């Protein structure tokens, strides 16, 4: 049975592996991103009134592991992350029920996000929290660099077009993110659209 007493060891273990083994050109899907998602997940959960220690533990563990599948594959990394988490957490006596919850949380972050439970909604919002933050631009450029390194995006204009579609289709699920992040996200979208319009008229 996974307990909060094990959390420090679990955190050190997975972050140590991510720091050591993630590809250096994962500029966005880095260990720093996993830590940010862990922090935002905890913040959103408390704002949403999640107080049960086990819920907070499972959410935090899933946040740390949610992108661990990038250690093995770039596409469909969520399933690889679930397998990896299940194997690593076995040493802490994770129960089948807890494993199912953690894997459900990891899988919920797959784009397009389709969360079903309150915790799944929280991890989804934590994963894309940056869309409505002041550091949106530098973080989005990290993703541009990562995708460029894989020939998945060619130019910054192409990236702007992708972002307009992505941000336009995205929505937050928790009340906290809707109130705290949605207004700034709308401004980011308008700014990118304005930049595209200006470039087209130039």
């Amino acid at each position: 049975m996974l307990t909060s007493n094990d959390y420090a060891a679990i955190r050190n273990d997975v972050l140590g592996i991510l720091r050591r083994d993630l590809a250096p050109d994962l500029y966005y899907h880095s260990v720093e991103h996993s830590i940010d998602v862990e922090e935002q997940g905890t913040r959103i959960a408390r704002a949403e009134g999640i107080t049960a220690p086990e819920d907070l533990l499972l959410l935090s563990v899933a946040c740390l592991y949610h992108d661990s599948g990038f250690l093995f594959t770039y596409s469909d990394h969520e399933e690889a992350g679930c397998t990896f988490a299940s194997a690593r957490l076995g040493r802490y006596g994770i129960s089948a029920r807890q494993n199912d919850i953690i894997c459900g949380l990891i899988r919920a972050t797959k784009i397009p996000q389709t969360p079903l439970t309150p915790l799944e909604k929280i991890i989804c919002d934590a994963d894309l929290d940056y869309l409505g933050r002041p550091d949106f631009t530098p973080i989005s450029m990290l993703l541009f660099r990562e995708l460029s390194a894989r020939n998945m995006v060619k130019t910054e204009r192409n990236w702007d077009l992708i972002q307009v579609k992505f941000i336009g289709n995205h929505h937050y699920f928790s009340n906290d993110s809707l109130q705290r992040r949605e207004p700034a996200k709308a401004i980011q979208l308008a700014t990118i659209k304005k930049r595209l319009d200006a470039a087209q008229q130039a």
Side-chain angles (χ1 to χ4, degrees), residues 7-25:
Y7 184 67
I10 292 168
R11 188 177 192 275
N12 288 338
D13 178 59
V14 63
L15 292 182
I17 293 171
L18 295 177
R19 286 193 178 96
R20 186 186 70 224
D21 295 336
L22 280 176
D25 60 357

Side-chain angles (χ1 to χ4, degrees), residues 166 182 193:
F166 181 79
E182 189 68 32
K193 286 182 175 179

